[in-house]
Amino acid sequence: MLNENVVNLLKEQFWYLGTCDGNMPNVIPVAFKDVTEDGKLIVGDVFLKTTLQNIQKNGNIAVSVGNGMTLEGYQIKGKAEYLEQGDIVEKFKIIVEDMFHGAATAKGALVITPEKVIVTTPGDNNNKEL
């Protein structure tokens, strides 16, 4: 579902995760992230309290990524599940602990399964689904 352009931008830029509890939207930037070979999006849980509460309620999530220089951007909508153990979680624990010199760690990881990818082309006011 994710073509090479989408994957490259996801690997290069910050992501913004959007969730909703049914009433109030929540959007956060994330830097501890990865794209798997099979096209799933992975986010390390360092500061995801409200995001996780919303995921527990409905599992819906949107990921936005863009390049301000080229105006290339995508929104990926899908379902998220939370993992508290396993290889993915251990990978993020090492990354976060190294970056924060042991002052913080990843508590788990979100695994996002994309269901829809929307692209906005520079100069085009219409969103297009990939």
Side-chain angles (χ1 to χ4, degrees), residues 81-99:
E81 65 175 303
Y82 188 70
L83 301 178
E84 294 182 46
Q85 56 187 346
D87 291 342
I88 292 170
V89 175
E90 292 306 314
K91 172 185 169 183
F92 280 106
K93 282 184 178 183
I94 292 167
I95 292 169
V96 174
E97 288 171 7
D98 284 350
M99 179 173 276

Side-chain angles (χ1 to χ4, degrees), residues 6 12 25 31 43-44 68 71-72 74 79 88 94 96-97 112 117:
V6 178
E12 295 169 359
V43 177
L71 302 181
E72 176 184 16
Y74 302 95
K79 295 288 184 184
I88 292 170
I94 292 167
V96 174
E97 288 171 7
I112 302 164
V117 178

Side-chain angles (χ1 to χ4, degrees), residues 5-54:
N5 291 342
V6 178
V7 171
N8 288 341
L9 196 61
L10 286 165
K11 289 185 180 229
E12 295 169 359
Q13 302 292 327
F14 271 88
W15 300 356
Y16 297 88
L17 303 183
T19 59
C20 189
D21 67 2
N23 295 309
M24 186 63 66
N26 179 64
V27 177
I28 62 165
V30 294
F32 302 108
K33 80 279 191 292
D34 198 7
V35 181
T36 65
E37 290 293 321
D38 63 352
K40 293 188 188 287
L41 309 181
I42 311 294
V43 177
D45 172 18
V46 181
F47 306 109
L48 297 180
K49 183 179 177 183
T50 302
T51 298
L52 294 179
Q53 290 170 346
N54 292 346

